[in-house]
Amino acid sequence: MRIVVAECSAIYTGRGDTKLGKYTRAIIIKDDGAISIHNDKSNKPLNYMGKGSKFTETVHEVTGELVWAFDSRKESLTIILHNVISDSAFELGLEDAGLERDGTENHLQEWIAAHPSVLGEGFQLVQREYPTGSGPVDLLVLDENGKPVAVEVKRVAMLGAVDQASRYVEALTNTESETIDFSEVRGMVAALDIRPNTVKLADKRGIRYCIVPSSWRE
Amino acid sequence: MRIVVAECSAIYTGRGDTKLGKYTRAIIIKDDGAISIHNDKSNKPLNYMGKGSKFTETVHEVTGELVWAFDSRKESLTIILHNVISDSAFELGLEDAGLERDGTENHLQEWIAAHPSVLGEGFQLVQREYPTGSGPVDLLVLDENGKPVAVEVKRVAMLGAVDQASRYVEALTNTESETIDFSEVRGMVAALDIRPNTVKLADKRGIRYCIVPSSWRE
DNA sequence: CGATGAGTGGTGCCT
DNA sequence: AGGCACCGCTCATCG
């Protein structure tokens, strides 16, 4: 990892276009080729480029300043180094095992699949990631009457979760299946937290919802 | 900006839970209080904490290692410094003007507002960011027959864009207004690029769509 | 402070 | 490689 502190400017073109005026910033170049420009605020870099870009260093003909260009297939980032203040490198190694996550939506989905009764008395799991014409739904379950319910799982449910559930119901209705009658399929949102506006929208759409107790991991 | 290179471990609890095993990494502490832990791959930090967390430094009773704790209302990040390799600070200043963007969705929205005929012959702008009961819609326009159309603007439209348009139509239908009759309001997606599945969903929902020519900025 | 949506979102999974 | 949805998304904005 190389860290260059310099007064610099930058221009990016690609998915969008951005310009960065002259100021002192830190430029971080990682061993895998990823590069980012940081000021002294927030975690996100101002400009960046993923690994795999082609690096070329040139010297500006007139000013004599260093110009760094990072080019990939569809994007390019050009940095002008007006004044380099510091340039240091550190050997971190590349075998970092990285982050272990727990309590993700995927874990929550697994847990609900194993405990379908939290969704309602007598609910039974049919399948996780059940395919619909509009992407797979997190859980397909049968309610106490044996009617299918498409369940969208979220840690925090907002409006988009109800939209997703609605879309799955829309896609499943009129679906032909040998084992399940989808003519009366309904939608449901299961989450650790559901926002009030989201509840309102769910009610309006006839989408049910279920709050999973926050102690679910025990 | 302070950069500490150290062999470290970390534990995060909050929105999820993560663990970071012992390895050499760079810890970046910015002047606004944001902190992030980086290995030598990719631009994204492994762990991080936004500005405004409370920092406390303690010494582990048994091992004598430094322990850094960053706590905010709902989250906490604890870093154990097993071995500090380097510790340096740079003065970058806090007046950075930051990034100037161009070609954003907002610019596209402005442009369409100024050129409503790209949406269709005889279309007229009513208002940008028109409030609905479900968030403001990007553009409210009148079609060639004077009927209202709620337009969701995207650079690249995917399924969610159709969901948003649907939600605005749903919220506007039955809306009382002195100047506009919303009983027949329709939805529309305007974008530089619309994915095939998104077109299919729009057709099914009766949401119109419009592809803005990529030369729009000229 | 919560609510909502943009972003050069990134990243992983599946077709 | 493209489509699609999750992420401790982060961040700005607006109420």
Side-chain angles (χ1 to χ4, degrees), chain A residues 42-43 101 105 152 154-155 167:
Chain A
S42 92
N43 292 309
R101 292 177 206 280
E105 178 185 311
E152 171 63 27
K154 280 267 182 289
R155 280 178 307 119
R167 206 193 308 142

Side-chain angles (χ1 to χ4, degrees), chain B residues 12 15-16 18 46-49 75 159 195-197:
Chain B
Y12 163 86
R15 283 175 272 197
T18 73
L46 295 161
N47 280 111
Y48 47 89
M49 203 78 164
E75 304 172 285
L159 301 178
R195 300 270 178 256
N197 275 355

Side-chain angles (χ1 to χ4, degrees), chain A residues 27 29 33-35 49-50 53-56 68-72 75-79:
Chain A
I27 302 167
I29 305 168
I35 176 171
M49 203 80 162
S53 67
K54 213 185 87 200
F55 171 63
T56 44
W68 285 354
F70 298 84
D71 292 282
S72 75
E75 303 173 287
S76 70
L77 174 63
T78 305
I79 306 172

